[in-house]
Amino acid sequence: DATFGGSSLPTVPFTGGDLNLFVAKLTDAGSSGSFQWGLAAGSAKADLVGGLAASGNNVYVGGRFTGPAATFGSTVLTNPNQSVTVASAVYLAKCTDAGTSGAWAWAQQGGGVNGNATICQDEATGVLLGTGRGYLLGTLLGLGNTTTPPTTVATFGSQVQTVPGNTHPFIATWTDNGLLAAAPAAARPVLGLWPNPAHGTATVRLPAGAETEPLLLLDGLGRTVRRFATPARGATDALLDLRGLPAGPYVLRGAGRAQHLAVE
């Protein structure tokens, strides 16, 4: 068994000194660190993690499993090349981080079915996250005898491609509700602010259609040092009274993206 903090992970029974895969969470406390949880998965043969990426509490891992079937929580993936002596399939799995515990959410398999091959070693070697979608990178490897080269039929969800044997790189894209929820919101409009640096007063031009809300001036430590009245609905400009403020850098927050302001 493997132990990560309070998580003891019974490994999947394996043969021949092969490997199971794991994901563990480590909390950084500055001068110390501690494991929060760990998760194990895999098959009865060599399994590896080739890439990992996180977005919020969503953790995505990709790699390969070599046994006939691989278990990720309640999900079981089946190796399409079980009849081949050396055969691995691609997996992509998601686990959710609940703070002091984690759990497998889902798992998908991909890669090729290799006809007339003696070695079929498909694996994911990278996981990347974009806005609302993810990308899985890796290689498809199908080797056979020289007289009748193997053919790989690669499947990733509804996408199917047929390629000749030997080694081919692949990139596959996928979506998940967790990524859609974590996608960044559209950028807020920018406040107009002048002069900058300012002496005594400064003028703010509010973005078109911006909601009326108080304008806050923060110092370099993030403390609110001055609160200006909420601009009248429909107003485009507001005058800021900066008299009495120490010279230095400030941040103005309000209707729109924050702006840096230097007071002299």
Side-chain angles (χ1 to χ4, degrees):
D1 292 350
T3 301
F4 295 92
S7 298
S8 181
L9 311 181
T11 54
V12 179
F14 58 89
T15 59
D18 288 321
L19 311 169
N20 292 143
L21 64 94
F22 73 88
V23 178
K25 175 185 176 181
L26 181 70
T27 297
D28 177 12
S31 60
S32 64
S34 60
F35 283 109
Q36 297 297 300
W37 52 257
L39 296 173
S43 67
K45 291 188 177 180
D47 310 312
L48 295 174
V49 173
L52 179 148
S55 175
N57 66 340
N58 308 299
V59 182
Y60 303 90
V61 292
R64 79 179 194 209
F65 68 95
T66 305
T71 301
F72 295 81
S74 61
T75 302
V76 178
L77 306 182
T78 302
N79 191 335
N81 294 299
Q82 298 179 44
S83 61
V84 181
T85 303
V86 179
S88 64
V90 172
Y91 74 83
L92 172 68
K94 172 186 175 180
C95 53
T96 53
D97 175 16
T100 57
S101 64
W104 294 108
W106 53 254
Q108 300 283 338
Q109 67 187 64
V113 175
N114 299 278
N116 195 40
T118 55
I119 296 178
C120 306
Q121 189 161 303
D122 301 340
E123 62 180 325
T125 55
V127 178
L128 303 175
L129 300 183
T131 301
R133 68 178 59 245
Y135 302 89
L136 189 67
L137 320 173
T139 56
L140 306 173
L141 172 62
L143 300 178
N145 59 60
T146 57
T147 57
T148 309
T151 298
T152 297
V153 180
T155 302
F156 293 90
S158 61
Q159 305 299 313
V160 180
Q161 291 189 357
T162 301
V163 294
N166 298 320
T167 304
H168 297 275
F170 74 81
I171 178 170
T173 184
W174 45 274
T175 58
D176 178 66
N177 288 338
L179 282 179
L180 294 172
R188 301 184 71 188
V190 180
L191 286 168
L193 182 61
W194 73 89
N196 195 358
H199 301 267
T201 61
T203 299
V204 172
R205 175 153 293 170
L206 304 178
E211 296 182 6
T212 57
E213 56 184 286
L215 299 174
L216 304 179
L217 193 66
L218 284 64
D219 64 11
L221 298 177
R223 300 172 298 190
T224 300
V225 296
R226 193 154 294 184
R227 182 185 181 96
F228 303 100
T230 302
R233 183 174 297 276
T236 57
D237 293 351
L239 186 66
L240 306 181
D241 184 357
L242 307 175
R243 291 173 296 180
L245 288 174
Y250 296 86
V251 174
L252 180 67
R253 298 178 60 183
R257 294 214 311 266
Q259 291 289 295
H260 291 277
L261 173 65
V263 175
E264 295 183 344

